[in-house]
Amino acid sequence: MSRRPPNVLYLHSHDTGRQVQPMGAAVATPRIQQLAEEGVLFRRAFCAASTCSASRACLLTGRYAHSNGMLGLAHRGWSLDDYEWHVVHTLRTAGYHSVLIGEQHISKEPDVIGYDEVVKIATTRATDVAPVTIDVLRDIDRPFFLSVGFFETHREFFRPEEGEDRYVAPPPNLPDTPETRRDMAAFAASARSLDAGVGAVLDEIDALGLRDDTLVICTTDHGMAFPGAKTTLTDRGIGVFLILRGPGGFTGGGVSDALVSHIDLYPTICDLAGVPRPEFLQGTSLLPLMDGAPAVRDEVFAEGTYHAAYEPQRAIRTERWKYIRRFDDRPTPVVANTDDGPAKDLWLRHGWAEHELAREQLYDLVFDPQEQHNLIARPDHASVAADLRTRLERWMRDTGDPLLDGPVPPPPGAEYNEQDQMSAREPTRVAPRGTSRGARRT
């Protein structure tokens, strides 16, 4: 008698980066910590795009953002070139029942994605998402693919406990001030809510006796909504926490230091489900790591094109090096692409909007893990820069990146901010009908 393929529970948060307890962050997330102790923690996991919709689209299609069409934000008018690429369509061929609960952010209308069931709820906060998920789990057919999306830790953050800001520290790229401490304390309050939601869902999995038959994928879309993180291609922007627990060897509290990308999750799911990998996938399965392989890839790639405003950039990261290239001539930050908040206000008061940006950036992650010292002009690093530049351009060419043909316009009817605006909350422009989105399929 053949074994039934495992259930897949995809738990995902907004803007959490690596700020969870098992990654060593001073943020109390005991239930996520417990999940790491029961599964496998990937300490060098990265998203493929550091903006909300693009990152999620990469994970769920196994294709880079410029290859799947999600070059901007879904609620502003971007979409996948083909929703049939979504993992639920592949899993359906193996008899999976798919359900969407809570945050999704890859379509204005969730019904077009292809889930068998889309659960309508009042908010995507954990306090609403977790109870509904528990009800669904008690009544769902197996095997299932269940997407459970939490709004936390997106801004606006929760209110911290009184005095909590006295004993926290902001991210290391930000100054330690009363404003940044309050901001971080509010983030931590949101993380507690996320953790409680994750724990409630996992408790129900155990209560129903589904633990051994369920692959739990717990991750976030990209880095925190602080200056210098989300929407950037630094490790603060593309570094994510990733925990897998369940069949395939993802047990025992293991830790992997191998480079992995979100786009590797789709082929991993296929292998565990016994489903042939679609030819369009651009990632690689993580299962060899569980069989003792030291690595499954030599580098990860990441990108950004639109968030609130146009900011085209691409990056390659290896074990030691990070190379980032910006693809327009703007000399200063696109401030609107950073979420509003106290830390952003502090940077703006001190002249951040006038800081000059380098067209190319090269960082030695051994000696400069915070990516503060750009080595691109150093003659003794010219060969490293040339190698990474070539590898990045080859990847762009092989995956049909529209940036190779010049600036990428927004799709018809999409909303976007001007690069000179200070906030995504300012009035937006709407791309005229009849323009070309510039994306190419490969």
Side-chain angles (χ1 to χ4, degrees), residues 408-430:
V408 179
E415 298 179 51
Y416 63 96
N417 288 91
E418 295 287 358
Q419 289 184 318
D420 289 331
Q421 290 180 300
M422 293 290 105
S423 170
R425 299 175 188 270
E426 295 182 44
T428 58
R429 289 186 175 272
V430 178

Side-chain angles (χ1 to χ4, degrees), residues 298-375:
D298 296 323
E299 72 274 296
V300 294
F301 297 97
E303 65 187 285
T305 306
Y306 285 87
H307 187 60
Y310 186 55
E311 190 174 11
Q313 50 188 327
R314 303 288 186 262
I316 176 173
R317 189 208 195 274
T318 67
E319 289 284 349
R320 179 166 183 175
W321 303 100
K322 166 76 68 62
Y323 171 77
I324 302 172
R325 180 178 172 185
R326 304 179 70 85
F327 283 81
D328 67 356
D329 295 324
R330 181 176 176 80
T332 54
V334 182
V335 173
N337 282 341
T338 296
D339 291 17
D340 296 343
K344 176 181 176 178
D345 291 343
L346 184 148
W347 267 23
L348 287 173
R349 288 199 305 273
H350 289 81
W352 175 43
E354 288 75 46
H355 276 206
E356 290 193 9
L357 297 174
R359 182 75 176 268
E360 293 181 289
Q361 300 164 56
L362 175 68
Y363 300 107
D364 184 338
L365 301 173
V366 170
F367 293 105
D368 182 24
Q370 289 299 317
E371 300 169 70
Q372 298 294 309
H373 305 290
N374 186 6
L375 304 174

Side-chain angles (χ1 to χ4, degrees), residues 116-417:
D116 295 311
E117 185 179 353
V118 177
V119 180
K120 310 294 185 183
I121 55 177
T123 77
T124 56
R125 298 284 188 184
T127 49
D128 287 323
V129 171
V132 170
T133 303
I134 290 169
D135 289 341
V136 169
L137 283 168
R138 291 172 179 172
D139 193 40
I140 195 172
D141 291 330
R142 291 184 289 158
F144 60 76
F145 178 89
L146 183 56
S147 174
V148 181
F150 301 101
F151 181 81
E152 294 91 344
T153 49
H154 195 286
R155 292 183 185 271
E156 298 290 331
F157 299 144
F158 284 48
R159 183 181 297 276
E161 296 177 3
E162 185 68 28
E164 187 176 359
D165 57 334
R166 301 173 189 168
Y167 310 112
V168 299
N173 68 307
L174 296 174
D176 188 342
T177 69
E179 299 105 311
T180 59
R181 290 195 296 271
R182 283 194 297 271
D183 212 6
M184 192 62 198
F187 173 92
S190 294
R192 286 196 295 272
S193 177
L194 166 66
D195 190 65
V198 168
V201 174
L202 294 177
D203 283 345
E204 190 61 25
I205 289 288
D206 287 351
L208 295 172
L210 300 178
R211 177 188 286 217
D212 293 341
D213 301 320
T214 302
L215 174 68
V216 177
I217 300 170
C218 188
T219 190
T220 189
D221 47 6
H222 45 63
M224 295 190 298
F226 281 76
K230 175 181 175 180
T231 76
T232 78
L233 300 185
T234 65
D235 278 9
R236 293 183 299 275
I238 64 175
V240 295
F241 80 94
L242 173 64
I243 302 166
L244 272 62
R245 187 192 76 182
F250 299 109
T251 58
V255 171
S256 173
D257 287 308
L259 291 174
V260 302
S261 171
H262 268 169
I263 67 165
D264 299 332
L265 291 172
Y266 195 144
T268 305
I269 293 169
C270 287
D271 287 358
L272 283 173
V275 180
R277 301 182 203 170
E279 292 184 0
F280 59 73
L281 294 184
Q282 296 171 328
T284 184
S285 175
L286 300 180
L287 288 186
L289 296 175
M290 298 303 99
D291 292 331
V296 294
R297 53 168 63 246
D298 296 323
E299 72 274 296
V300 294
F301 297 97
E303 65 187 285
T305 306
Y306 285 87
H307 187 60
Y310 186 55
E311 190 174 11
Q313 50 188 327
R314 303 288 186 262
I316 176 173
R317 189 208 195 274
T318 67
E319 289 284 349
R320 179 166 183 175
W321 303 100
K322 166 76 68 62
Y323 171 77
I324 302 172
R325 180 178 172 185
R326 304 179 70 85
F327 283 81
D328 67 356
D329 295 324
R330 181 176 176 80
T332 54
V334 182
V335 173
N337 282 341
T338 296
D339 291 17
D340 296 343
K344 176 181 176 178
D345 291 343
L346 184 148
W347 267 23
L348 287 173
R349 288 199 305 273
H350 289 81
W352 175 43
E354 288 75 46
H355 276 206
E356 290 193 9
L357 297 174
R359 182 75 176 268
E360 293 181 289
Q361 300 164 56
L362 175 68
Y363 300 107
D364 184 338
L365 301 173
V366 170
F367 293 105
D368 182 24
Q370 289 299 317
E371 300 169 70
Q372 298 294 309
H373 305 290
N374 186 6
L375 304 174
I376 196 66
R378 287 268 299 266
D380 54 336
H381 289 77
S383 61
V384 174
D387 174 60
L388 295 177
R389 190 181 296 117
T390 298
R391 290 162 70 176
L392 183 69
E393 291 173 354
R394 182 188 306 122
W395 166 73
M396 293 175 67
R397 184 172 59 254
D398 291 347
T399 54
D401 195 328
L403 270 182
L404 293 173
D405 296 329
V408 179
E415 298 179 51
Y416 63 96
N417 288 91

Side-chain angles (χ1 to χ4, degrees), residues 14-62:
H14 246 317
D15 302 4
T16 312
R18 293 176 174 164
Q19 292 297 310
V20 291
Q21 192 172 333
M23 294 297 294
V27 177
T29 53
R31 298 310 307 275
I32 296 175
Q33 173 72 27
Q34 180 183 349
L35 181 64
E37 293 172 358
E38 298 166 347
V40 174
L41 174 68
F42 293 86
R43 295 193 67 93
R44 293 188 183 181
F46 297 88
C47 64
S50 61
T51 61
C52 305
S53 297
S55 170
R56 295 164 188 270
C58 294
L59 188 156
L60 292 165
T61 67

